[in-house]
Amino acid sequence: MRKRIAVIGGGIAGLAAAVRLRDRLPQGADIVVYEQGNALGGKLRTGELGGLPVERGAESFLNSGPDGADSAAVALARRLGLGDALVHPAKQPAALSIGGRLTPIPAGTLVGVPADPSSLDGVARPDAGSDADGGKPLLAPGEDVAVGALVRSRYGAEVVDRLVDPMLGGVYAGRADQLSLRVTMPQLALAAETAHTLRDAVRSAQAASRRTPGRPVFAAVDGGMGRLVAAAAEASGARIGLGLPVHSISRTPRGWDLRIGPAPSPQSDHADALILAVPAKPAARLLGGTAPEAAEAVAALTYASVALVGLALPAGTELPGLSGFLVPPGEGTLVKAATFFTRKWPHLAHPDGPVIVRASLGRAGEEERLQFDDAALLARALRELGELAGVTLPEPSASWIQRWGGALPQYAPGHADRVAMARAALPPGLALAGAAFDGVGIPVCVASGERAADEVVTFLEEA
């Protein structure tokens, strides 16, 4: 009997789920992807700037997984025939902007947490003696704490404020004192269940990463992430419904009924199984009528808003010899990170071409600071970038601003337990996928979508 599976959400998690479904289900299975927006890809969006493809969302993904093999994103790219299109950043250092000076990020840290706090090159002064062996592991099995709480208690405030906060802020736009250790740094959390000092926990987590010497840390797709999105949609063979929000789902003896499309004239559809690959708020709304306990757990997740600014500067514009820099929150700037894009990605650089700079603005709790029109936000970004980099930047020949309102999940301590509780409360034939549940980053979202697809396939096989 032909099966129909509906994937709600056309971001990379939903598309990865659709590809996995196509690979595992019998020929003829009907897969449909419903996306309420007018384009697939979610936070993956390739734009154009100065004649070059420049990402308006995530610009790269981890090259390796925790086991040292290809990350889920690299494996997906190869599955889609994009293995030869993978490119890697130049070996350029990054810096911290502190007190108007660019200082190289100290080597040997794990998301800013040092294995040896005495070798921070003056970036931060650790509290001597705070990381003493107390005769027991730092965390109990399964225990979760805020990253900042653990690091602050062991290394002191400056290490958190000047190193960990900007590193986490660059990825999550959040603060270390509010982000879950177990979600944002899972290997460190696992190591802390046996290590008696933070120094030993960091070293253990670094050793467990199994990184292949000489292998680049990051990868991207030549031509932009849009190629990954388009290739996934094509390989899935799914029917794609753009501009079709799903208003409600309901369990029936035959499977699931969906109410979709414009509210004044909704349509209905039926599916044998569902994958929800949407943010927390719409997921909670859809789950409310059929799995209220799961809905309540999912609804607890909050989000941060950010804006990205892309600048095309004249050819030959002088910039510091870096791939970019991060800014600690204590500096007070709206700019929290900058990437010297054409230097970081040499396949885009040309002596006569534009110098592309991309900046990230805004952190969790700072939404009101982004409430300016594009012209004012652009002028603010240009001024702060010059001050932070210690250079005078010329007016750009082209620019854009990409606003991501409520886009980055803020994983409070206990998030993993709440998600586990939500999944345990789901009815059979319904799976959850995406950043709202399993973490940010393209590899994490791809793996989340693939796991959800595997769950649905198992359900269909056993039904």
Side-chain angles (χ1 to χ4, degrees), residues 9 22 64 89 115 134 138 165 181 262 265 270 367 386 433 451:
R22 180 61 64 201
S64 300
L138 298 176
D165 244 349
L181 179 73
S265 55
H270 169 78
E367 285 73 15
R451 283 194 301 270

Side-chain angles (χ1 to χ4, degrees), residues 378-388 391 393:
L378 180 65
R380 172 78 175 265
L382 187 66
R383 174 177 60 80
E384 289 190 354
L385 281 168
E387 293 171 350
L388 291 164
V391 296
L393 296 179

Side-chain angles (χ1 to χ4, degrees), residues 13 21 23 65 78 85 112 116 123 143 164 201 232 241 243 248 303 322 339 368 377 419 434 439 445:
L21 289 170
D23 287 345
R78 296 193 192 283
D116 182 2
V123 170
E143 181 184 0
V164 183
S248 65
Y303 286 77
L322 302 163
T339 301
E368 74 285 349
L377 207 59
V419 169
C445 289

Side-chain angles (χ1 to χ4, degrees), residues 52-420:
L52 298 174
V54 178
E55 302 301 337
R56 287 175 170 256
E59 69 169 84
S60 63
F61 42 78
L62 287 171
N63 200 30
S64 300
D67 60 356
D70 286 346
S71 71
V74 170
L76 177 64
R78 296 193 192 283
R79 155 69 181 83
L80 300 175
L82 295 175
D84 292 341
L86 295 176
V87 292
H88 307 287
K91 293 182 179 180
Q92 291 276 356
L96 293 161
S97 181
I98 299 175
R101 184 168 63 95
L102 290 175
T103 303
I105 296 175
T109 70
L110 182 67
V111 197
V113 184
D116 182 2
S118 67
S119 60
L120 296 181
D121 301 323
V123 170
R125 295 163 296 183
D127 286 355
S130 296
D131 193 31
D133 186 341
K136 63 179 183 178
L138 298 176
L139 296 180
E143 181 184 0
D144 195 13
V145 297
V147 176
L150 176 63
V151 180
R152 201 178 295 276
S153 68
R154 290 279 161 172
Y155 288 165
E158 274 203 359
V159 174
V160 174
D161 297 341
R162 292 190 169 191
L163 268 171
V164 183
D165 244 349
M167 294 289 278
L168 284 176
V171 178
Y172 299 95
R175 301 299 296 267
D177 288 326
Q178 298 165 348
L179 290 171
S180 158
L181 179 73
R182 200 159 291 278
V183 176
T184 62
M185 302 173 69
Q187 289 180 316
L188 183 58
L190 186 62
E193 293 180 1
T194 56
H196 290 199
T197 66
L198 185 54
R199 179 193 305 235
D200 287 344
V202 173
R203 290 175 176 171
S204 177
Q206 289 173 330
S209 66
R210 301 184 191 177
R211 182 184 167 195
T212 303
R215 187 177 191 186
V217 176
F218 296 103
V221 178
D222 189 7
M225 294 296 178
R227 292 185 65 190
L228 186 71
V229 171
E234 182 178 1
S236 74
R239 293 186 295 113
I240 305 295
L242 294 178
L244 290 175
V246 177
H247 299 293
S248 65
I249 59 175
S250 56
R251 186 83 165 128
T252 74
R254 301 183 305 114
W256 296 88
D257 284 341
L258 292 74
R259 183 170 169 270
I260 60 175
S265 55
Q267 309 167 36
S268 61
D269 196 4
H270 169 78
D272 297 290
L274 292 179
I275 294 175
L276 299 189
V278 294
K281 187 174 181 180
R285 176 177 55 78
L286 290 172
L287 291 170
T290 189
E293 291 182 10
E296 183 178 359
V298 168
L301 184 65
T302 61
Y303 286 77
S305 297
V306 297
L308 296 178
V309 174
L311 305 172
L313 304 175
T317 298
E318 294 289 336
L319 293 173
L322 302 163
S323 63
F325 59 85
L326 299 169
V327 187
E331 298 299 303
T333 59
L334 191 55
V335 171
K336 67 180 178 64
T339 301
F340 302 154
F341 209 79
T342 40
R343 175 172 289 146
K344 180 175 180 179
W345 299 103
H347 68 286
L348 296 176
H350 189 277
D352 300 323
V355 174
I356 304 295
V357 175
R358 203 179 81 144
S360 178
L361 285 63
R363 296 180 173 85
E366 295 184 350
E367 285 73 15
E368 74 285 349
R369 298 186 70 190
L370 297 174
Q371 302 307 309
F372 298 97
D373 63 31
D374 285 1
L377 207 59
L378 180 65
R380 172 78 175 265
L382 187 66
R383 174 177 60 80
E384 289 190 354
L385 281 168
E387 293 171 350
L388 291 164
V391 296
T392 300
L393 296 179
E395 287 294 318
S397 58
S399 63
W400 49 246
I401 291 179
Q402 176 69 53
R403 298 175 187 265
W404 291 108
L408 289 173
Q410 301 298 292
Y411 307 108
H415 173 81
D417 289 340
R418 287 188 290 273
V419 169

